Every structure is written in structure tokens, then in C-alpha cells.
Amino acid sequence: MASPLPMRDGVGATRLHLPHTGPWPTISAYMVERFFHLDEQFLLERFDRGEIVMADGSAVSRDAPLDAAEFIWYYREPPVETEIPFHAEILHQDDDLVVIDKPHFLPTTPAGRYVQNSALVRLRRQLDNPDLAPIHRLDRATAGILMFSARVQTRGAYQMLFQRREIEKVYEAVSARPERWDPDSPALDGQSFPLTVRCHIEKLRAQVCVEVDHVREPNSETVVELIDSDDDVIHTLLRPHTGKMHQLRVHLASVGAGILHDNLYPVLTDEKPDDHQRPLQLLARELRFIDPLSGNEREFMTRRTLQYAPTSQLSQGVS
């Protein structure tokens, strides 16, 4: 359902589905109870200013009965944001795709306390394109290749590549060197390289971390290769064959090589302010696929590297 309100500063209006019946005589009374944490007078004044509208764009009055509309739209009040001092680099742009090199700490989409400081909203404003939408996502803590659809007409074709697992994704990670690491015979959890990690991952509501079950049928798989190691860290190449939430972080932690500066796995730690000197050492390095429109092979590679990796790195640039 199209919004009657245009994008504002790269952010779309919020749509609210109203109940058909209930103890509320008016739409405004329902909203006052639903959003009890907001100041009642402030909310009612938004009705008076015409900031809450119906599907045809007409303003909803504070006296409008509950059944006057099924849906209403309004702009969320923007949060006070902490500026993220890192910026994405546009690596590719055409009529259908925009590919960026995302820095650590920048979220893919608006979430929580970050709205304007998200890759999506920044790009929409920079390119003046309200139709931009991410085709996949990276965690806020992860840097690297991130792909956006530039127009609705061809978005589905690119989304299907991910659903059908027809995109080759390659990541890099840096982990603290395991205690029993043998540089002459490198292995993780008793498995020599390359090794394949599988397990069952499930995301439960209201939990920050995913649930990992090594008994149930695996629904996630990653091939882990060794790039390099030194006295302090190991540098690995990761080829995920599935795309479960936190998959790479979980898989490396499960074989005794939790990613450096990961505050979720293997142990959840208290949330702290971002430490820009200690980014999560995980990088989305490459995306490869056959373009569903042209049939041509396409490849995008990050220009970043992981700052804690050994000096004999394969990539160019600094993350």
C-alpha cells in the first residue's frame, strides 16, 4: 500500500493499522493509549497540525471516530542521534544497482537510535532516490560490500538471487590465535583447513544472540580457509553457503576462533559505547553472481582490510 506522504530526509512515513472496534471513541484516544510513553498533549497537537493522515492524504482530526480509517500515516519524531564519523564509498552505480563499501559501525537500515546515520538513509539523500532499498544486509558492526536496489521494477530479480543462493559471498575475519595453535599444522577444533562448520541456528524474539543447537539438523554452513597467522591472531577466509543471522560469528566461535572484538559470541558482554579503535574484525569481502537481467558475470570487491590482520594481507586499503 503506497504511502500518501513522501519521503522526508530519506525516511518514509510510518503506517499504523487501526482496530475496527474497541473501547476508544476516537483514533486519537487509541493512539494516546497505545503510545502511552509519549506526552498526551504533544500527540494531540500533532492531530491539530494535520500531521496524521488517511490513505487519501487528508488530515485526521483529533475527534475522528475509531472506524473513520483502517490505516493512518505519520512521520516518527526523529531521535537525537550520535553522528557516526565514517562514510560508505560508492563502488558501483547503474539504473538497477548501487554497491557500497560500508564502514564498521554504520547500520544498513534505520534501527533504534540510528536513522539518519544509516547507510540506506544517507544514500537516499545523497543520490536523491527514495526508491533505494537494500537487497541484503550487514550487521552494524560488519564492514564491506553491501548492495542496494535502485528501482522497484527490477528489485525482485536481484532479491531472488539471494533467496535461491545464487550469489557467492566471501568474507574475511581475524580471530585471537587459539592456545593450541600449531603454525606447522594449522587446525581449528581438531579439523585441518579448509574446514566446514555446520549447525542449527534459530533467532528467538527478545533475544540479542541466536540459539545454537548442534543436535538438530543443521540449517547453516560455512567453509573456513586459512589466509595467514602470526603470534597473536589468525586470519581466515569465510565462504557461507547459507545466510542465517550471526552465522559467521557463531561458526567461528564454535570452533574456538571467536572473531576479535565480538561482544556477542562466544560470550555476551554488557553493551558499551562504540570503541572506534576496536571494530569487529569481520569484513564482507566479495559478491559474485550472474546478473539476472543481462546474463553477465558480476563481481564486487571491498577496498577495505581488517586492521588487526597479519601484515601479509590479500586486500587493499584499510578498514
Side-chain angles (χ1 to χ4, degrees), residues 9 40 190 194 203 264 295 309:
D9 293 331
E40 178 178 347
K203 176 65 174 76
L264 299 181

Side-chain angles (χ1 to χ4, degrees), residues 21 37 41 54 66 69 82-83 119 124 126 134 146 172 177 180 197 203 205 224 243 258 260 264 282 298 307 316 319:
T21 59
H37 56 287
Q41 189 58 35
M54 299 185 190
L66 183 64
T82 300
E83 183 72 18
R124 281 177 173 172
Q126 180 180 349
L146 183 59
E172 291 181 35
R177 188 170 121 163
R180 298 183 180 180
V197 185
K203 176 65 174 76
R205 281 189 175 185
V224 183
L260 210 60
L264 299 181
L282 181 61
R298 308 192 78 167
Q307 72 183 71
Q316 300 294 321
S319 170

